[in-house]
Amino acid sequence: MTLQIFPQLEIPETLAAGPGPGNTDARVLQAFASAGVADHMQGDVLRGMIECKHMLREIWGTENTHTFAVAGTGWSGLDAMFSAVMPGDKVVAFSNGTFSGIDALTLRIKAATPAELAADSLNPQAASVTVIEVPHGQSVTGEIVEAALAEHKPKWAFMAHWETGSGRINDIQGFSDACERHGVMGLVDAVSSLGVEDFSIDDYPGVAGWASCPQKGLCCLPLTYAPVSFRDDYIASLRASGAYTYVHNPIFEARHWGIIDGADVEKGTYHRTHSGYAVAAFHESLRLTLQEGRANRAESYRMHEAALREAVAAMGCEVTSDMTSLVVLNLPGDLAGREMELVQNCRAEGFGIWPTLSAPVQIRIGILNQLRPSAIWEIVRRFADAMRALGADVDQAAVDAILDKHYATAVAAQ
């Protein structure tokens, strides 16, 4: 066998303009790269973890002590949150896109009995789980949640706050209220909303567990830390039932962050070999989020999304999303069916937009960590060029006038 030594891997810079991850903030990258070589028990690393959990509580808007982060991506945080769901537990899950659909599959796996898992290990049909399918492009409403919980009376209910598969915001207030009325513990995927929308989780007492990610609204590196937060009744349920995991058991994970029996302690007691570099990057992303302020960042997203939305509409596209970090659109009628071709052309030019990952095929353009007029102008220019390359007649002067109007208004308001 001939040994092959590949050349050193070089990855060119791209404009990440999809649903996430976004382009990591340069200051976060600097914090990652400039961290000294240290073992995971070095004093500054441990101090950074303590400061991280306190900053997370500010960003989540919570008094919950069980607020910390799970090493990995958003999937790691979600898996930890779902670990409290045991075989046979009654669950209602609401799915209105790709990612809430994957979450619903995870819940079917967690709640499946051994016999149900053996019958179809990759797609178990757990009798105790009801999945409410809401059509792509529509939001989960409080009325939908209320009707399902009233009928099925589950122990757990699940919903994604922001569904990036279709770009829809779901009714978190209605979800929380319905969970409270019916004595249900709500679980929420906040992967795409944390760090983008200005909200406090303590305002939603029907939600017992929250999970997010580092690489979207917080603009940190993937594979650092996924924020989670758990209410006391969630922890009590988990303590009573246990969980079929060691790595993603939230009680053990909390001990890693110096949280024992609901209280902060001086030192963690659960061993996980973490990375000082990851702690440094995560710490900086949280610090920058608080420095900017949740309300200011949320308003910036609203302003820039409005400019992008109107600009692509002027190119003949139909926007079907209502998120402020992502525009999901249909191409003009004469380009329908060429969505994948357009996306591939853009990605070949270092312009990272995305298609939807389930039917119907749409185009997703994101603005994570692109909160500058120059960045929105660049995204719009590149998208307009890609449209023209497929034969679209884009009136660039009209598009430019829209952006001029938006940013002139924003400057005047300041």
Side-chain angles (χ1 to χ4, degrees):
M1 182 177 179
T2 303
L3 177 64
Q4 182 176 5
I5 304 297
F6 293 99
Q8 182 177 4
L9 178 64
E10 295 183 5
I11 300 175
E13 186 167 329
T14 63
L15 173 56
N23 287 125
T24 305
D25 191 294
R27 293 166 292 183
V28 174
L29 288 173
Q30 179 62 30
F32 181 89
S34 63
V37 177
D39 67 65
H40 62 292
M41 298 301 290
Q42 195 269 349
D44 294 301
V45 175
L46 299 178
R47 174 178 58 83
M49 292 178 67
I50 292 170
E51 292 174 357
C52 282
K53 70 181 177 182
H54 288 292
M55 287 191 285
L56 268 177
R57 291 169 193 168
E58 289 290 331
I59 292 169
W60 274 120
T62 186
E63 298 294 325
N64 286 343
T65 305
H66 282 99
T67 301
F68 51 93
V70 178
T73 65
W75 290 122
S76 306
L78 286 161
D79 191 57
M81 180 177 73
F82 291 145
S83 70
V85 177
M86 299 296 286
D89 276 0
K90 203 167 185 180
V91 184
V92 170
F94 299 90
S95 172
N96 67 319
T98 303
F99 298 100
S100 52
I102 296 173
D103 289 330
L105 170 59
T106 305
L107 286 163
R108 287 192 281 115
I109 292 171
K110 299 284 188 183
T113 64
E116 289 169 335
L117 200 58
D120 189 346
S121 63
L122 300 183
N123 187 29
Q125 302 306 306
S128 63
V129 179
T130 300
V131 179
I132 307 298
E133 299 282 357
V134 176
H136 179 98
Q138 296 182 26
S139 297
V140 180
T141 65
E143 292 77 14
I144 292 172
V145 177
E146 170 64 30
L149 299 192
E151 178 182 356
H152 298 286
K153 298 178 173 53
K155 175 180 180 178
W156 307 98
F158 163 78
M159 187 181 75
H161 188 188
W162 288 20
E163 170 53 79
T164 48
S166 55
R168 299 299 303 181
I169 296 177
N170 295 322
D171 183 359
I172 192 67
Q173 186 68 64
F175 179 79
S176 174
D177 291 348
C179 287
E180 270 202 292
R181 275 193 297 272
H182 295 282
V184 175
M185 285 188 284
L187 303 174
V188 166
D189 174 340
V191 161
S192 296
S193 56
L194 181 65
V196 178
E197 183 174 305
D198 182 17
F199 67 102
S200 297
I201 64 176
D202 281 358
D203 292 339
Y204 305 104
V207 181
W210 299 78
S212 189
C213 78
Q215 70 269 22
K216 291 197 177 187
L218 297 180
C219 295
C220 193
L221 291 161
L223 291 171
T224 49
Y225 289 100
V228 293
S229 186
F230 304 110
R231 214 171 57 191
D232 288 346
D233 54 348
Y234 172 100
I235 295 296
S237 176
L238 176 61
R239 188 178 293 277
S241 68
Y244 291 113
T245 177
Y246 177 73
V247 176
H248 282 165
N249 184 315
I251 293 174
F252 291 150
E253 286 280 4
R255 292 175 183 174
H256 173 60
W257 289 84
I259 303 165
I260 299 177
D261 295 330
D264 290 316
V265 298
E266 184 178 354
K267 293 182 179 178
T269 63
Y270 166 72
H271 181 75
R272 176 193 277 281
T273 304
H274 51 275
S275 162
Y277 304 103
V279 171
F282 189 55
H283 185 282
E284 183 66 0
S285 75
L286 299 177
R287 197 183 70 83
L288 293 173
T289 299
L290 289 174
Q291 189 176 71
E292 182 177 357
R294 294 185 317 180
N296 289 338
R297 184 177 289 185
E299 179 55 36
S300 187
Y301 271 110
R302 280 191 290 272
M303 177 184 73
H304 291 297
E305 188 273 345
L308 175 60
R309 170 184 293 262
E310 191 171 344
V312 298
M315 299 179 204
C317 300
E318 177 196 15
V319 177
T320 61
S321 56
D322 62 356
M323 287 172 53
T324 58
S325 62
L326 179 68
V327 168
V328 181
L329 58 89
N330 295 318
L331 291 176
D334 55 347
L335 295 182
R338 302 181 70 183
E339 292 83 6
M340 291 301 297
E341 181 184 356
L342 186 145
V343 168
Q344 289 164 358
N345 290 346
C346 288
R347 297 189 70 82
E349 296 295 325
F351 177 39
I353 64 174
W354 283 71
T356 52
L357 301 180
S358 54
V361 179
Q362 296 179 282
I363 288 175
R364 298 183 291 168
I365 307 175
I367 59 172
L368 290 169
N369 206 27
Q370 304 293 339
L371 302 181
R372 308 173 304 283
S374 60
I376 303 303
W377 275 92
E378 178 71 4
I379 289 169
V380 169
R381 180 191 65 77
R382 290 202 187 194
F383 187 67
D385 288 346
M387 294 272 286
R388 287 192 198 91
L390 291 190
D393 182 15
V394 176
D395 184 343
Q396 191 65 48
V399 173
D400 291 347
I402 287 168
L403 295 183
D404 279 334
K405 176 195 71 175
H406 273 275
Y407 291 120
T409 301
V411 170
Q414 293 173 356

